[in-house]
Amino acid sequence: MEKTYAPHAIEQRWYQNWEENGYFAAKPEGESYCIMIPPPNVTGSLHMGHAFQDTIMDALIRYHRMKGFSTHWQAGTDHAGIATQMVVERLCNAEGKTRHDYGREKFIEKVWHWKEESGGTITRQLRRMGSSLDWSKERFTMDDGMSDAVQEVFIRLHEEGLIYRGKRLVNWDPVLHTAVSDLEVLSEEENGFMWHIRYPLSNGQGHLIVATTRPETLLGDAAVAIHPDDDRYKHLLGEFVELPLTGRRIPIIADDYVDPEFGTGCVKITPAHDFNDYEVWTRHRHTSAILDLPHGGLINILTVDASIGTDDLIPAHYQGLDRFDARKKIVADLEAQGLLEKIADHKLMVPRGDRTNSVIEPLLTDQWYVKVAPLAEPAIAAVENGDIKFVPDNWKNTYFDWMRNIQDWCISRQIWWGHRIPAWYDDKGNIYVGRSEQAIREQHGFAPDYLLKQDEDVLDTWFSSALWPFSTLGWPENTEELAKHYPTSVLVTGFDIIFFWVARMIMMGLKFKGTVPFKEVYIHGLVRDAEGQKMSKSKGNVLDPIDIIDGIDLEALVAKRVSGMMQPHLAKKIEQATRKQFPDGIASFGTDALRFTFASLASNGRDIRFDLARTEGYRNFCNKLWNAARFVLMNTEDQDNGLSGDICQYNQVDRWINTRLNQVIAETSKAIDNYRFDLASQAIYDFTWNEFCDWYLELTKISLQSENSAEQRGTRKTLLNVLETLLRLAHPIMPFITEEIWQTVAPIAGIQGDTIMLQAYPSVDETKNDLGAVAEINWIMQFILGVRRIRGEMNIAPGKPLTVLLKNGSATDQHSVSNNQTYLQKLGRLETISWLNENDDVPESAIALVGDMQLLIPMAGLIDKQAELNRLDKEIQRIKNDLPRIEGKLNNPTFVDKAPQDVIDKEKTKLVELHSLLHNLEEQHRKIQTL
């Protein structure tokens, strides 16, 4: 092995070896363990959320592979309809063209070409993370087999009346000219205004004041609503108001939706441009007051690009104006006519498209829908009866809340890239759904010249994703993979897509396979920065996992963070913050340190605070493991390691480490089985660093100097076996370093095999347990730690030999001292260890307790009393000088009011630590003063 751990020298080499040798493929024998990767967008690059969940999935797959399961981790990417079309449209724009210049067919060819040339970024990055996906079975949601599955599902659902075409409100992106899902809408608080408008009563007896944040939508108002119990307005029910600027009359209606405490208690109802208003309209549309309105009160005032439409109901001077220009003109006209009561500053949630940043409009359009309620019932039952288990369990409540209030699903999108809807229209408005135009002609007996035109829309990307667990395995064909791996074992995903993906996969799996698509759903938290803030481009706190693996210099990091921003005015602030936080850029930590960080953060919490300081700590852990392996090899290469058949003798130290290893194997396996990767990683870390490295390796230095060759053999064999087992134990979380070390250690330990990843995962060997040895070594540790603590407190040089006196010891203590004299003297750097009788005089000593036994180190001659007192006086004075400064800050109202909370918390923590340190130093001063 090389002298120093260098992750870049080993990681890509080992990944290439694993992939080329087909180690990731499922073996034919064994019980199936299958995970479907949440398919990342083909346009995407790896972000921290991906890297986190891919670490968890890979750890599960590697763990079960080593347990003997037939493991299949399904690889694949999503065609990402809107995102991919936007990428390629930008390429067209760079040529001075639009997609319309190419036409649909040529544009789609251009998208496929881009996919082949540039669409593999994220799959390359997944390899960098060590993800052992079966790349030979990689799928793409637009490949032929997947497209067949999508078409089959659409046709079958349509035949059962579960897919229909209807006119309803959708989230409309006026830049993309398509409906978008709720997940593609980002609502954030912005500063705006509330306009208070007078709506005159039609009988001339006054007016109602209606408040709105979107005054331009009054052109589509259908009513003014009040609460039915609002005594201020109840007497007005049945009357009408004059709709300002339009010459129309609209009714006053009563509905529980209105909050009488908010604003004036009067709400304008614009059903074609507000989701809540649409629901109010559905409850009142049968009334004559609404039925008598133009279009039954459902008045669409906007075009697809959010300009004011040309309906005759709209005054001509507003028609064709952009919505925000129309807003200004309408406000000015209201003011001119004395109809504007006031304008108030107002903070409001503004919905914006995640791709375009344009304000999303609720728009009434013709779309395709799935009738979801009949599909939801069995999907709810599957979780209620335990066929599917959520981990943590509380997430099932989120699932139930949504499923029990589910709305029909809009599945059509007005773009070109995607699965085109298999529906055709004739010129009489009839709709024909089928597998192809030819199939429809044959089915209906249409002549070749009978005009049919295919629907222009494509299906929502989430539609094909909903079929992912079975379509990837070959459905609608009955393939071997489908029979072997469906239903899958677990779905690993974030809580933000329980509705959009998890629920829909459950519904579709039950509908088309008759069984649930997975047995468990492990919901992980959201990866945030060290301060708990959501990572976002606008905050400038995004970390790229590959930058953490490879490192990145400061200038490149700044350039990456400020490029391509939707809000360029924030660039300067982000640059300054980045330069302050990362003055030297980001160091290279390697993949294993990053993976171990993710595992250590994988608790049951909703949020995951990612701090690079932890990654640095786990990089140090990798170094520790590497150096420990070098120590083991240095003492076992070309030695008799007990493989010759000669007798091996195992001392109490060897028996202790084997027992502790057994306990850690049980602890780690239980943690992984329960998705507690934080507990698994902590168990591995604590055992490796605190027991194997800090204690066992130190103790073996003494054992290996024994004159007993059988004991030496036993220790060398234990060194190798514990290290080799530890490598297998940690492999699912840290695949690269464990493989590299194992390749050298395994042959010396007499183990055959091409790769650690196909070795058996460690299991408990009860025959090696010796709890007595554990108790004895724990006693040794307490003894040595007591000596070291006294050295530290009294500022005694580590190498100075000490005399130890013992008092109040039990028979067990006396036996332990006698049995471990060599370990105690060598590890503790002790000159002598002797027992005091009950009546012996006790010299002035520093004392530590080992159970009830007193461990005394006489101080006479060990330290320069006056020099030590002078040193302590200086330290005490320094702290006493610091304390008033910090206390003054925290007692200063200006500081407390203006400083960020994290800064205040740091000052409070510093104050507590200084008080504690002062107390300890003063206590130490008192002790030395008495010597």
Side-chain angles (χ1 to χ4, degrees):
M1 280 174 56
E2 294 294 329
K3 186 175 180 180
T4 55
Y5 166 59
H8 296 95
I10 63 173
E11 291 179 353
Q12 295 193 53
R13 167 166 56 84
W14 277 118
Y15 195 91
Q16 189 175 350
N17 175 280
W18 296 332
E19 187 173 356
E20 286 175 355
N21 282 287
Y23 295 151
F24 301 154
K27 59 185 180 182
E29 68 279 0
E31 181 185 345
S32 169
Y33 185 86
C34 178
I35 297 178
M36 294 281 155
I37 193 172
N41 286 355
V42 70
T43 56
S45 57
L46 198 73
H47 59 59
M48 294 294 277
H50 288 137
F52 175 81
Q53 71 177 18
D54 291 329
T55 296
I56 300 306
M57 285 185 279
D58 191 52
L60 286 168
I61 286 290
R62 287 180 183 273
Y63 172 74
H64 284 89
R65 185 185 288 123
M66 296 175 81
K67 286 271 194 178
F69 286 80
S70 173
T71 51
H72 177 60
W73 187 9
Q74 179 62 56
T77 47
D78 190 281
H79 66 276
I82 292 173
T84 307
Q85 178 158 318
M86 283 186 71
V87 167
V88 180
E89 282 203 66
R90 285 194 201 104
L91 296 176
C92 296
N93 296 341
E95 300 169 358
K97 296 179 180 178
T98 69
R99 63 183 161 112
H100 299 285
D101 294 323
Y102 279 92
R104 185 169 193 143
E105 190 175 329
K106 291 291 184 185
F107 178 77
I108 297 299
E109 286 178 13
K110 193 172 179 66
V111 178
W112 276 108
H113 179 74
W114 174 88
K115 188 259 178 189
E116 296 306 318
E117 292 288 319
S118 308
T121 298
I122 200 156
T123 57
R124 288 191 296 274
Q125 292 171 327
L126 282 167
R127 288 171 166 90
R128 293 296 311 279
M129 285 298 300
S131 305
S132 57
L133 292 140
D134 185 356
W135 297 108
S136 68
K137 298 276 197 286
E138 184 177 2
R139 301 303 300 268
F140 179 55
T141 49
M142 284 281 286
D143 68 31
D144 290 343
M146 299 284 284
S147 296
D148 291 344
V150 168
Q151 186 180 74
E152 186 69 23
V153 166
F154 186 96
I155 292 169
R156 287 196 202 177
L157 290 176
H158 185 264
E159 287 172 349
E160 293 183 39
L162 295 176
I163 282 184
Y164 65 93
R165 187 165 169 80
K167 187 184 285 288
R168 296 178 64 171
L169 276 189
V170 296
N171 295 313
W172 186 264
D173 190 312
V175 173
L176 295 175
H177 290 184
T178 183
V180 292
S181 71
D182 289 345
L183 195 64
E184 293 157 319
V185 179
L186 304 176
S187 293
E188 293 189 0
E189 190 174 72
E190 297 182 16
N191 293 321
F193 301 97
M194 183 76 81
W195 286 270
H196 295 251
I197 304 169
R198 300 186 185 109
Y199 281 50
L201 293 167
S202 62
N203 57 19
Q205 299 301 304
H207 58 260
L208 294 178
I209 295 175
V210 174
T212 180
T213 58
R214 299 157 70 212
E216 68 280 5
T217 61
L218 72 78
L219 299 174
D221 283 359
V224 171
I226 62 166
H227 192 275
D229 298 329
D230 194 331
D231 292 332
R232 293 172 296 173
Y233 305 118
K234 277 200 295 191
H235 65 286
L236 298 176
L237 288 175
E239 293 188 32
F240 288 80
V241 293
E242 300 290 342
L243 182 60
L245 311 180
T246 66
R248 289 197 293 116
R249 285 194 324 159
I250 56 175
I252 300 170
I253 62 174
D255 195 275
D256 289 333
Y257 162 68
V258 179
D259 178 1
E261 302 299 320
F262 183 77
T264 63
C266 299
V267 177
K268 63 193 281 301
I269 302 301
T270 318
H273 296 285
D274 184 281
F275 290 102
N276 291 318
D277 292 0
Y278 182 84
E279 294 303 318
V280 173
W281 173 81
T282 60
R283 292 191 286 273
H284 294 267
R285 61 183 175 180
H286 61 281
T287 63
S288 58
I290 299 295
L291 282 170
D292 290 344
L293 293 172
H295 311 305
L298 210 53
I299 302 163
N300 186 2
I301 66 161
L302 293 177
T303 64
V304 293
D305 57 2
S307 296
I308 304 301
T310 56
D311 191 298
D312 290 342
L313 296 169
I314 300 170
H317 51 280
Y318 300 130
Q319 293 180 17
L321 291 177
D322 172 79
R323 56 185 159 165
F324 298 119
D325 293 333
R327 176 180 296 178
K328 292 174 187 173
K329 184 163 180 53
I330 284 170
V331 169
D333 291 348
L334 288 169
E335 193 163 23
Q337 294 185 26
L339 296 175
L340 191 61
E341 176 80 7
K342 66 175 180 177
I343 303 173
D345 291 339
H346 181 69
K347 287 188 180 295
L348 69 160
M349 299 302 290
V350 177
R352 293 185 179 273
D354 67 342
R355 303 287 175 190
T356 61
N357 203 41
S358 61
V359 176
I360 296 296
E361 288 288 348
L363 195 67
L364 198 63
T365 58
D366 288 312
Q367 304 285 348
W368 288 90
Y369 291 88
V370 175
K371 192 182 292 182
V372 183
L375 300 173
E377 286 180 28
I380 291 169
V383 176
E384 286 177 331
N385 65 26
D387 290 344
I388 294 175
K389 176 187 171 189
F390 277 84
V391 182
D393 184 65
N394 60 288
W395 286 111
K396 72 183 181 188
N397 299 321
T398 303
Y399 172 81
F400 287 143
D401 287 346
W402 190 68
M403 293 293 279
R404 287 170 180 154
N405 298 283
I406 200 163
Q407 302 291 316
D408 286 357
W409 172 18
C410 175
I411 56 170
S412 47
R413 297 291 181 266
Q414 290 66 53
I415 56 176
W416 286 354
W417 173 243
H419 298 101
R420 194 165 177 183
I421 290 174
W424 281 260
Y425 304 85
D426 63 16
D427 56 6
K428 298 174 181 62
N430 295 306
I431 304 175
Y432 307 95
V433 171
R435 286 168 180 80
S436 67
E437 182 179 332
Q438 186 57 37
I440 288 169
R441 289 186 183 281
E442 290 173 4
Q443 183 181 4
H444 294 275
F446 292 146
D449 59 350
Y450 188 82
L451 185 64
L452 289 176
K453 185 179 180 184
Q454 187 173 358
D455 196 306
E456 295 285 333
D457 290 354
V458 300
L459 287 164
D460 177 14
T461 302
W462 292 104
F463 190 86
S464 50
S465 298
L467 320 181
W468 189 249
F470 54 91
S471 61
T472 50
L473 297 173
W475 189 92
E477 302 300 321
N478 291 315
T479 62
E480 288 181 19
E481 286 86 356
L482 190 61
K484 176 85 174 175
H485 298 299
Y486 188 94
T488 66
S489 305
V490 62
L491 177 74
V492 178
T493 189
F495 60 80
D496 53 336
I497 53 174
I498 289 175
F499 316 139
F500 294 96
W501 194 43
V502 179
R504 289 164 179 170
M505 282 191 288
I506 295 172
M507 289 189 282
M508 292 300 188
L510 287 165
K511 177 67 178 173
F512 292 98
K513 283 296 296 170
T515 53
V516 295
F518 26 74
K519 297 156 195 157
E520 292 184 306
V521 183
Y522 171 61
I523 301 291
H524 61 73
L526 179 71
V527 181
R528 297 179 179 272
D529 70 11
E531 279 72 49
Q533 297 291 313
K534 185 175 180 179
M535 291 189 183
S536 71
K537 189 83 175 172
S538 61
K539 287 189 174 77
N541 61 350
V542 172
L543 288 170
D544 182 336
I546 304 301
D547 291 341
I548 298 172
I549 293 170
D550 291 342
I552 184 172
D553 66 58
L554 176 60
E555 298 309 321
L557 180 61
V558 168
K560 178 180 281 193
R561 285 188 161 187
V562 301
S563 66
M565 294 187 66
M566 286 185 177
Q567 296 163 286
H569 64 280
L570 296 174
K572 190 67 181 172
K573 181 181 175 185
I574 288 168
E575 178 179 351
Q576 290 170 346
T578 302
R579 290 185 183 279
K580 182 179 178 182
Q581 187 179 5
F582 302 105
D584 302 314
I586 296 174
S588 164
F589 295 107
T591 302
D592 285 323
L594 177 59
R595 285 174 61 118
F596 206 89
T597 307
F598 283 136
S600 74
L601 295 168
S603 65
N604 282 342
R606 188 182 178 98
D607 291 325
I608 298 156
R609 288 192 174 203
F610 186 90
D611 188 348
L612 271 175
R614 289 188 78 141
T615 312
E616 185 174 3
Y618 294 131
R619 166 65 196 249
N620 294 339
F621 176 60
C622 291
N623 285 333
K624 190 85 169 175
L625 179 60
W626 186 269
N627 291 332
R630 291 187 70 247
F631 172 85
V632 172
L633 292 169
M634 199 186 324
N635 287 282
T636 55
E637 283 181 308
D638 302 320
Q639 299 286 335
D640 180 358
N641 300 313
L643 301 179
S644 61
D646 290 341
I647 291 173
C648 290
Q649 187 176 321
Y650 302 103
N651 59 31
Q652 68 269 41
V653 177
D654 300 326
R655 297 194 303 276
W656 160 72
I657 199 69
N658 277 320
T659 307
R660 283 295 300 127
L661 179 61
N662 264 335
Q663 292 169 342
V664 171
I665 289 169
E667 196 179 333
T668 304
S669 298
K670 180 183 177 183
I672 296 177
D673 288 338
N674 288 285
Y675 303 102
R676 290 304 302 269
F677 297 94
D678 56 333
L679 301 181
S681 60
Q682 193 63 46
I684 292 168
Y685 181 94
D686 287 344
F687 176 77
T688 304
W689 193 298
N690 301 331
E691 295 181 278
F692 183 64
C693 294
D694 282 2
W695 287 101
Y696 183 64
L697 296 189
E698 292 304 310
L699 290 162
T700 61
K701 291 175 184 177
I702 300 165
S703 305
L704 291 171
Q705 293 170 12
S706 165
E707 294 179 4
N708 183 337
S709 59
E711 184 178 335
Q712 284 193 13
R713 253 194 309 277
T715 295
R716 281 195 291 267
K717 186 170 185 179
T718 304
L719 274 168
L720 283 168
N721 286 348
V722 172
L723 176 59
E724 191 277 335
T725 304
L726 181 56
L727 293 172
R728 286 185 284 125
L729 192 70
H731 176 74
I733 299 174
M734 306 169 75
F736 294 113
I737 191 171
T738 52
E739 179 75 274
E740 178 72 12
I741 298 172
W742 186 87
Q743 290 290 332
T744 305
V745 169
I748 300 171
I751 295 169
Q752 304 298 314
D754 295 324
T755 173
I756 191 174
M757 63 185 286
L758 299 182
Q759 296 294 306
Y761 198 73
S763 57
V764 174
D765 183 352
E766 299 284 357
T767 64
K768 290 186 175 181
N769 282 349
D770 185 340
L771 297 180
V774 172
E776 190 155 333
I777 301 304
N778 284 342
W779 184 93
I780 291 175
M781 288 179 183
Q782 287 180 52
F783 191 108
I784 299 300
L785 289 171
V787 172
R788 289 175 179 171
R789 186 164 58 253
I790 290 171
R791 281 187 188 275
E793 288 175 355
M794 295 300 177
N795 204 26
I796 301 168
K800 189 175 184 69
L802 300 178
T803 295
V804 169
L805 304 176
L806 302 175
K807 188 180 177 185
N808 295 344
S810 65
T812 303
D813 290 328
Q814 291 178 15
H815 170 78
S816 294
V817 171
S818 172
N819 204 34
N820 298 290
Q821 187 101 9
T822 305
Y823 291 124
L824 296 176
Q825 285 191 275
K826 292 198 174 181
L827 279 184
R829 308 279 174 86
L830 307 180
E831 197 162 26
T832 60
I833 304 172
S834 54
W835 289 91
L836 289 173
N837 295 319
E838 193 171 334
N839 298 322
D840 289 346
D841 290 333
V842 179
E844 188 62 48
S845 304
I847 301 174
L849 291 177
V850 181
D852 292 328
M853 183 182 77
Q854 288 186 352
L855 185 158
L856 303 98
I857 297 179
M859 288 290 101
L862 275 182
I863 61 172
D864 182 333
K865 178 178 175 180
Q866 194 54 50
E868 185 61 13
L869 287 173
N870 291 342
R871 185 185 72 82
L872 288 170
D873 282 335
K874 283 182 183 177
E875 278 295 295
I876 289 167
Q877 192 56 49
R878 182 184 64 80
I879 292 171
K880 284 182 174 178
N881 291 340
D882 274 352
L883 282 172
R885 180 180 59 80
I886 298 171
E887 287 169 340
K889 256 188 187 181
L890 291 171
N891 291 327
N892 181 347
T894 306
F895 172 77
V896 174
D897 290 342
K898 292 186 177 179
Q901 189 58 46
D902 62 322
V903 172
I904 296 170
D905 291 342
K906 281 178 186 173
E907 292 296 318
K908 286 181 178 177
T909 302
K910 194 188 297 181
L911 186 64
V912 171
E913 289 171 350
L914 283 176
H915 275 298
S916 175
L917 183 57
L918 180 62
H919 172 77
N920 291 339
L921 290 171
E922 288 176 337
E923 181 66 20
Q924 194 62 29
H925 193 281
R926 186 190 61 75
K927 284 182 184 177
I928 292 175
Q929 190 76 54
T930 63
L931 292 179

